[in-house]
Amino acid sequence: MGTNINLSFDEMWEKIIACDRKYDGLFFTAVKTTKIFCRPSCRSRKPKKINVEFYYDIKEAEKAGFRACKRCQPETDHSPHTELVRNVVEFLVTHYSERLELQDIANHVGLSPYYLERLFKQETSETPRTYLEKIRVDKAAHLLTTTERTNLEICYEAGFQSTSNFYKIFRRLKNCSPSEYRILIGKA
Ligand SMILES: [Zn+2]
């Protein structure tokens, strides 16, 4: 479970620096110096990169001697649907580069598309579709700033079906074009 979520160490590091809630539950940040583990979205002071280890499973982190952070409480489920959301997000993060329909996601979690969409939206304020778009844009943003690949290559690698769709969604979420983003963040 959760050992193949398609996120590199550097991507997970980016998520915790951004306190990104989208990836909560998928992995945990363990800090070797404090022996505490956190959700990616924890607002506590950020550790040094060299002191961080990532775990996909709370039990593994605990077995390695880490204790749950009192601030973000990674061991506490805040809703009875936490596991469902985690399951869906894990599926999206693993399969973002493929053509995905709501039905595919529904099949994976064993719910009707209608019921899945309603529950997921109630929990995250997003539909599985818009959540997937955000994951794809995160992936594209990471590739834009860490690789020399062209916009076209990145478009398809991130799972967008057309460049016009890629440019439109990227701009909506990042307020700039992919090329502008590469220059802006690449030089930061
Ligand atoms: Zn924490």
Side-chain angles (χ1 to χ4, degrees):
M1 183 183 80
T3 47
N4 180 29
I5 56 166
N6 252 335
L7 292 172
S8 65
F9 184 97
D10 281 336
E11 286 175 281
M12 291 190 274
W13 174 252
E14 286 169 9
K15 314 302 179 217
I16 71 165
I17 291 304
C19 300
D20 195 334
R21 289 184 55 211
K22 283 199 301 298
Y23 301 87
D24 275 8
L26 261 60
F27 65 89
F28 303 92
T29 313
V31 185
K32 288 184 252 178
T33 44
T34 57
K35 299 306 272 179
I36 299 279
F37 69 93
C38 286
R39 298 174 191 269
S41 65
C42 185
R43 298 244 161 223
S44 296
R45 202 161 67 88
K46 299 303 172 190
K48 286 191 179 136
K49 197 173 181 179
I50 194 168
N51 292 328
V52 163
E53 275 173 20
F54 292 111
Y55 287 88
Y56 300 108
D57 190 327
I58 282 183
K59 287 193 182 69
E60 292 298 315
E62 287 174 339
K63 213 188 290 172
F66 294 96
R67 284 172 298 115
C69 170
K70 292 208 162 54
R71 187 162 181 191
C72 64
Q73 303 180 341
E75 80 287 21
T76 310
D77 286 344
H78 297 295
S79 140
H81 303 301
T82 302
E83 185 59 25
L84 168 73
V85 171
R86 199 197 59 78
N87 234 324
V88 171
V89 176
E90 185 177 282
F91 185 75
L92 299 179
V93 168
T94 309
H95 297 278
Y96 67 89
S97 64
E98 301 159 28
R99 181 188 282 273
L100 285 183
E101 302 296 339
L102 184 59
Q103 184 70 58
D104 302 318
I105 307 163
N107 290 347
H108 177 71
V109 294
L111 295 176
S112 76
Y114 170 77
Y115 191 54
L116 164 65
E117 187 154 88
R118 212 179 61 170
L119 270 185
F120 193 81
K121 190 155 192 182
Q122 175 191 315
E123 293 294 308
T124 66
S125 312
E126 304 263 0
T127 65
R129 167 66 46 197
T130 58
Y131 213 97
L132 177 59
E133 285 174 353
K134 288 185 171 183
I135 287 169
R136 284 174 172 163
V137 165
D138 282 353
K139 192 57 82 166
H142 177 74
L143 292 171
L144 283 165
T145 53
T146 56
T147 72
E148 303 280 304
R149 273 163 247 175
T150 65
N151 287 353
L152 187 66
E153 289 167 329
I154 290 173
C155 162
Y156 292 113
E157 197 170 332
F160 293 97
Q161 304 296 326
S162 74
T163 48
S164 59
N165 200 34
F166 173 44
Y167 289 123
K168 190 180 78 188
I169 293 167
F170 194 93
R171 183 174 285 282
R172 192 172 74 217
L173 293 174
K174 295 289 187 192
N175 294 310
C176 63
S177 73
S179 301
E180 286 164 350
Y181 185 86
R182 176 171 256 164
I183 293 164
L184 234 67
I185 303 297
K187 285 187 178 156

